[in-house]
Amino acid sequence: MNRRSILGLLGLAPLALISSKVPTDNPLTANLIRRWKRSKEYTLAVLEAMPAEALEYSPTEQQMSFAQHFLHLGFTNNMFLGILLDKNTYPDFEAMMEADFFLDRPDPVNLMQPDRLEKREATVNKALVAKYVADTFDYVISGIGALTDEMLAGGGEREKPWFLEGHSRLDLILRGEGHTTHHRAQAIVYLRLKGIQPPGYSKYNTL
C-alpha cells in the first residue's frame, strides 16, 4: 500500500499534498513505538504478578478491581488511538461508543465503576484480560507506526468528545501513556496490599 492509500485509510488525505516535506525517517514516532513496547511488557508483567484467584481483588467496595484497571487502560488506549486514526469524527462520548474501531473486551464490564468478570475459571479470566491488554497495546503500536513526525503535530482541530477537544495526535498518544501509568501504578499498590513484590520498574524501562 502506498503513502497516499495509507493516508486515505487514516482519514489524513489532505496531508498527502505535503508528502514531499514528510521526513523519510521519523525519530519521534520511533521513540514512541519503543516506549509503548516497553510499557506493554511492563504492564503485562504487573498483571501477571497477581495470582489468578486474586484477579478481582479490590481494597474497598468503591474501587475498581485489579482486573478492571487493566481493562480500563486497554479500552482507553484503544479509544484514543481509534479517534486519532479513524477518518470519522465523534462529537460526544455516546457517538464514539458506536465506533467500529473498538476491540472486543472479554465481558461488557463497567469500566468506570466497580464490577466483576463473568464467572469462569480464574486462569481463564486472567488469560482473557491479558490477551485484551496485549491486543490494545498492539493496536496502539501499529497505529503509531502508520504516522510520521509531521502528522503527530496535527489533528487538534478535528471534532472530538469534549474531554479530548484540541488534542493533537501526539497529545492523544501521550495522554494514553500517562493514563496507562496512572492505572498501572494503582495495580502495583494492590499487589503490595496482597504482600506481592511488583516487577521492578527499571528492568522494563531500559532502552
Coordinates of all heavy atoms in Angstrom, one line a residue, residues 38 47 62 64 68 93 109 118 125 131 147 150 171:
R38 N 7.8 -1.1 25.5 CA 8.3 -1.3 26.9 C 7.2 -1.2 27.9 O 7.1 -2.0 28.8 CB 9.4 -0.3 27.2 CG 10.6 -0.4 26.3 CD 11.2 -1.8 26.3 NE 12.1 -2.1 27.4 CZ 12.5 -3.3 27.8 NH1 12.1 -4.3 27.1 NH2 13.4 -3.4 28.8
L47 N 0.4 -7.3 35.6 CA -0.8 -8.1 35.6 C -0.5 -9.6 35.9 O -1.2 -10.2 36.7 CB -1.5 -8.1 34.2 CG -2.6 -9.0 33.9 CD1 -3.8 -8.8 34.9 CD2 -3.1 -8.9 32.4
Q62 N -15.6 0.5 46.8 CA -15.7 1.7 45.9 C -14.7 1.8 44.8 O -14.8 2.6 43.9 CB -15.6 3.0 46.8 CG -16.8 3.3 47.7 CD -16.8 2.4 48.9 OE1 -15.7 2.0 49.5 NE2 -18.0 2.0 49.4
M64 N -12.1 0.2 41.7 CA -12.1 -0.8 40.6 C -11.3 -2.0 41.1 O -10.4 -1.9 42.0 CB -11.3 -0.3 39.4 CG -12.1 0.8 38.6 SD -11.0 1.2 37.2 CE -12.1 2.4 36.4
Q68 N -10.0 -4.8 36.6 CA -10.7 -3.6 35.9 C -9.7 -2.5 35.5 O -9.9 -1.9 34.5 CB -11.8 -3.0 36.8 CG -13.1 -3.7 36.7 CD -14.1 -2.9 37.6 OE1 -14.1 -3.1 38.8 NE2 -15.0 -2.1 36.9
F93 N -19.3 11.4 23.6 CA -19.0 10.0 24.1 C -19.9 9.0 23.5 O -19.5 7.9 23.1 CB -19.0 10.0 25.6 CG -18.5 8.7 26.2 CD1 -17.2 8.4 26.3 CD2 -19.5 7.7 26.6 CE1 -16.8 7.2 26.8 CE2 -19.0 6.5 27.2 CZ -17.7 6.2 27.3
V109 N -17.8 -5.4 31.0 CA -17.6 -5.0 32.4 C -17.7 -3.5 32.4 O -17.1 -2.8 31.5 CB -16.3 -5.5 32.9 CG1 -16.0 -5.0 34.3 CG2 -16.3 -7.0 32.9
E118 N -17.3 -12.3 34.2 CA -18.2 -13.4 34.3 C -17.6 -14.5 35.1 O -16.3 -14.6 35.2 CB -18.5 -13.9 32.9 CG -19.4 -13.0 32.1 CD -19.7 -13.6 30.7 OE1 -19.5 -14.8 30.5 OE2 -20.2 -12.9 29.8
N125 N -10.1 -16.3 33.1 CA -10.4 -14.9 33.1 C -9.0 -14.1 33.0 O -9.0 -13.1 32.3 CB -11.1 -14.5 34.4 CG -12.6 -14.5 34.2 OD1 -13.1 -14.3 33.1 ND2 -13.3 -14.6 35.3
K131 N -4.9 -11.1 27.2 CA -5.0 -11.0 25.7 C -5.5 -9.7 25.3 O -5.1 -9.1 24.3 CB -5.8 -12.1 25.2 CG -5.9 -12.1 23.7 CD -6.8 -13.2 23.1 CE -6.7 -13.3 21.6 NZ -7.0 -12.0 21.0
L147 N 2.1 6.6 11.2 CA 2.1 8.0 11.2 C 3.6 8.5 10.9 O 4.5 7.7 10.9 CB 1.7 8.6 12.6 CG 0.3 8.2 13.1 CD1 0.1 8.7 14.5 CD2 -0.7 8.9 12.1
E150 N 5.6 14.6 11.3 CA 4.9 15.8 10.9 C 3.4 15.6 11.2 O 2.7 16.5 11.6 CB 5.1 16.1 9.4 CG 4.6 17.4 9.0 CD 5.1 17.9 7.7 OE1 6.0 17.2 7.1 OE2 4.7 18.9 7.2
D171 N -0.8 14.5 21.4 CA -1.4 14.7 22.7 C -2.2 13.4 23.0 O -2.1 12.9 24.2 CB -2.5 15.8 22.7 CG -1.8 17.2 22.6 OD1 -0.7 17.3 23.1 OD2 -2.5 18.1 22.1

